Amino acid sequence: MNPTCWSEKDGKFVVMLNASALSNGDCFARLLFTTFFGLNAVGQDTERMDFGSSVHKFIERYNARGVNEEPRFMESVSEALKILPKDQDKLNDEHLAKVCFAYQTRGAAVIGDKFLPLRHPMTGLPLTEQKFAIPLYEDDKLCILLMGTIDSLYIPRSLGPTPTGPVHTLIIGDIKTTSKQPNDYYWSAYESSLQLSIYAYALKYHANKFPDGWLGKLIGPDTEIQAFIFGCFLSTAQNKDAVTFALSPRLYSFGKEFMEEMILETITHAIEKLVDYVH
């Protein structure tokens, strides 16, 4: 079984449903294999997946560091290289370094021209890799948690870097690395994204549960949560055009009713199946 998605505590199975796994579709067999056994679908290009994960790690760590300086870049590249398998063919260390350099020189500005990273009110560091866990179900044999990691949080440039009260708009930035093309078909897939809906729901959930925390002070009853996709469209060509960076053409919005309907319908079905499986 996949130890990153389940554990056993006090005689109970603790199942961790990852928001990105749920977004794969309402297929219990796929959910079961990815959650319990950590298996990928047959025919998936694992070399591209591993390379994409390394690019994702670089961007996360680069954005999390405060000042735009050379050590920040080199440390972020080093962390990305650690998770890249050494037997990669075309998508190797050299190619990863080119993509990382491309992000530093032109990719970061794609986001920075429109949005400011939301910073922690105490540390002043950008709020990246924000993890959450929401309890969904528990009985004497089983506990189910909805979990995920939000890549980054942003605000419109007009608000300034460190708002002190509830904001009108809070923006989720989600990084996607893919070999697909940045066309209308690709972007439209996120119009009804369960994954992004869960992220928006999780922010509201934790803000309501901890109203005196930093998130509770930023998210008010009228705060609109939106999201954008930052796409890293990869090429296998060994040249300077190894990657193209692009933002989704518009922000995705998730109303309360829309979120609850999508989340409850999909997750309720998953929970019922998992309960039957465990029992």
Side-chain angles (χ1 to χ4, degrees):
M1 288 188 177
N2 182 7
T4 63
C5 296
W6 75 278
S7 63
E8 196 167 356
K9 183 179 180 181
D10 300 329
K12 289 185 182 183
F13 277 114
V14 180
V15 178
M16 290 155 275
L17 293 180
N18 191 288
S20 59
L22 285 172
S23 68
N24 285 336
D26 193 20
C27 172
F28 177 66
R30 180 181 293 177
L31 176 66
L32 182 65
F33 286 133
T34 56
T35 297
F36 278 89
F37 302 111
L39 300 176
N40 295 320
V42 175
Q44 282 189 330
D45 188 340
T46 56
E47 181 170 329
R48 282 191 178 277
M49 290 175 63
D50 291 336
F51 188 81
S53 296
S54 297
V55 174
H56 198 286
K57 174 59 68 175
F58 166 78
I59 294 175
E60 284 180 343
R61 302 315 303 148
Y62 184 85
N63 289 348
R65 288 173 164 84
V67 182
N68 187 9
E69 54 188 17
E70 195 63 23
R72 170 192 183 191
F73 175 75
M74 296 306 298
E75 290 168 6
S76 302
V77 172
S78 176
E79 291 189 37
L81 287 171
K82 288 178 183 177
I83 65 171
L84 183 68
K86 300 308 176 187
D87 58 350
Q88 301 275 74
D89 183 15
K90 291 183 178 180
L91 299 176
N92 52 26
D93 291 8
E94 180 183 354
H95 196 61
L96 177 62
K98 289 181 178 180
V99 173
C100 294
F101 182 72
Y103 179 80
Q104 182 195 35
T105 54
R106 53 190 172 88
V110 173
I111 299 176
D113 287 347
K114 292 187 175 182
F115 307 107
L116 287 172
L118 187 62
R119 298 178 179 274
H120 194 284
M122 299 296 292
T123 66
L125 292 175
L127 289 165
T128 62
E129 300 176 82
Q130 296 299 298
K131 302 183 184 300
F132 64 84
I134 300 174
L136 296 177
Y137 176 90
E138 186 169 6
D139 61 23
D140 59 339
K141 294 184 179 180
L142 178 67
C143 175
I144 300 177
L145 300 174
L146 176 62
M147 305 184 71
T149 302
I150 300 172
D151 289 339
S152 299
L153 293 173
Y154 295 88
I155 53 176
R157 276 194 161 275
S158 59
L159 292 180
T162 311
T164 57
V167 295
H168 179 267
T169 305
L170 185 62
I171 302 167
I172 297 166
D174 195 50
I175 304 165
K176 300 295 184 188
T177 54
T178 179
S179 58
K180 298 177 181 178
Q181 295 299 309
N183 51 34
D184 291 343
Y185 179 79
Y186 177 80
W187 298 120
S188 66
Y190 297 101
E191 293 286 351
S192 301
S193 169
L194 177 63
Q195 181 183 6
L196 295 180
S197 295
I198 291 174
Y199 289 171
Y201 175 81
L203 290 172
K204 290 273 190 180
Y205 173 88
H206 284 289
N208 291 333
K209 187 172 182 179
F210 305 103
D212 294 328
W214 65 266
L215 192 58
K217 293 177 180 178
L218 285 176
I219 297 179
D222 299 323
T223 298
E224 182 180 9
I225 297 179
Q226 297 180 311
F228 65 76
I229 299 296
F230 176 73
C232 304
F233 299 92
L234 302 174
S235 166
T236 58
Q238 298 290 321
N239 54 44
K240 64 180 180 180
D241 298 320
V243 61
T244 299
F245 302 104
L247 281 178
S248 48
R250 68 177 190 82
L251 292 172
Y252 304 103
S253 297
F254 305 96
K256 182 178 179 181
E257 292 182 2
F258 172 79
M259 288 192 295
E260 292 180 351
E261 181 180 347
M262 283 193 66
I263 292 169
L264 291 176
E265 180 179 349
T266 302
I267 293 179
T268 298
H269 181 68
I271 288 175
E272 290 174 350
K273 293 289 187 178
L274 286 172
V275 171
D276 290 342
Y277 179 80
V278 171
H279 285 277

